[in-house]
Amino acid sequence: MGSEVEAFPCASRLLNIPLAQGARMSFGRGMTKPKKTTSSTARAFELFDDLMPIRRYKILLQTFLKRRGTGARQAIAEQLGHTRSFVTQITSPAYDLAIPANQVRAILKLAELTAEEERIFLDAYIEAHPERAAEVYAAPHGHGTVTISLPDLGDLAAEARLEALIRRLAESAIDSFVEEARLRQPGRAA
């Protein structure tokens, strides 16, 4: 038998092509043998496996980072105090290393996401890591803290979205007041 048939031992059965005894099956135009990769960084994965929720939020993040341009990963690495290699691993679907929950907010801020993009990403992240929801939505240690009790909606995703909406509203209001206070300082032009 020819090398083409050896490379694809079941090809005639898969393609339902009867071969005469001693006949060779050749692959012409448009039919190529799969190429084997020897690169240590090339990792094949199934699309629908137990890591799909992690890959989903990483694919979203990759899309957002590509929009920012070529220096996005390096900027995130510098801001977080990590290497670019670490940022690549936590943002690439080829790696199963999760984004640390305590750094999700910082990464989202550096990625410059819209409110809707942030909501979509956080929904995907919480779906992949439901045990990290409290840490992702935890208030950063700051000067003062306000606690708001939220109703039990019976839906963790809806509760997370409500909390994110309230948090974004509060952060926007805080930013506005901080800017106003900065402008009132002596020596600052209005």
Side-chain angles (χ1 to χ4, degrees):
M1 291 191 146
S3 64
E4 295 87 355
V5 175
E6 290 170 10
F8 297 99
C10 302
S12 64
R13 286 189 306 241
L14 289 173
L15 298 173
N16 199 21
I17 302 170
L19 295 177
Q21 188 173 9
R24 291 176 26 157
M25 184 173 185
S26 65
F27 293 87
R29 250 184 149 148
M31 298 184 81
T32 59
K33 296 179 189 176
K35 294 180 179 162
K36 293 182 181 176
T37 58
T38 56
S39 170
S40 62
T41 59
R43 295 181 55 184
F45 55 85
E46 295 293 325
L47 283 179
F48 300 101
D49 61 7
D50 58 337
L51 295 175
M52 187 58 198
I54 296 171
R55 291 191 179 108
R56 184 177 301 120
Y57 76 74
K58 287 185 174 196
I59 289 168
L60 285 168
L61 186 57
Q62 270 190 340
T63 303
F64 302 143
L65 291 178
K66 283 181 183 174
R67 183 182 61 208
R68 275 209 58 208
T70 54
R73 281 189 180 84
Q74 185 62 39
I76 290 172
E78 289 172 1
Q79 280 297 119
L80 298 178
H82 292 293
T83 64
R84 188 177 186 282
S85 173
F86 176 78
V87 174
T88 297
Q89 288 181 28
I90 64 171
T91 58
S92 173
Y95 297 95
D96 58 356
L97 182 63
I99 297 174
N102 63 344
Q103 296 182 342
V104 168
R105 290 290 185 174
I107 290 170
L108 295 182
K109 188 171 184 171
L110 292 167
E112 299 174 357
L113 305 184
T114 65
E116 179 67 10
E117 291 168 340
E118 184 176 322
R119 183 192 63 76
I120 291 168
F121 176 84
L122 289 174
D123 285 350
Y125 184 86
I126 298 303
E127 180 185 342
H129 309 292
E131 72 285 357
R132 297 180 182 187
E135 191 174 354
V136 168
Y137 291 114
H141 302 309
H143 198 56
T145 302
V146 175
T147 303
I148 300 174
S149 297
L150 301 177
D152 180 5
L153 301 176
D155 179 5
L156 290 177
E159 291 170 9
R161 287 193 308 271
L162 175 61
E163 185 175 342
L165 174 67
I166 292 169
R167 188 174 303 282
R168 283 193 302 271
L169 178 63
E171 287 171 351
S172 176
I174 290 167
D175 289 346
S176 175
F177 279 91
V178 167
E179 179 64 19
E180 184 179 314
R182 186 186 67 78
L183 292 174
R184 282 186 299 194
Q185 288 179 354
R188 298 274 182 165

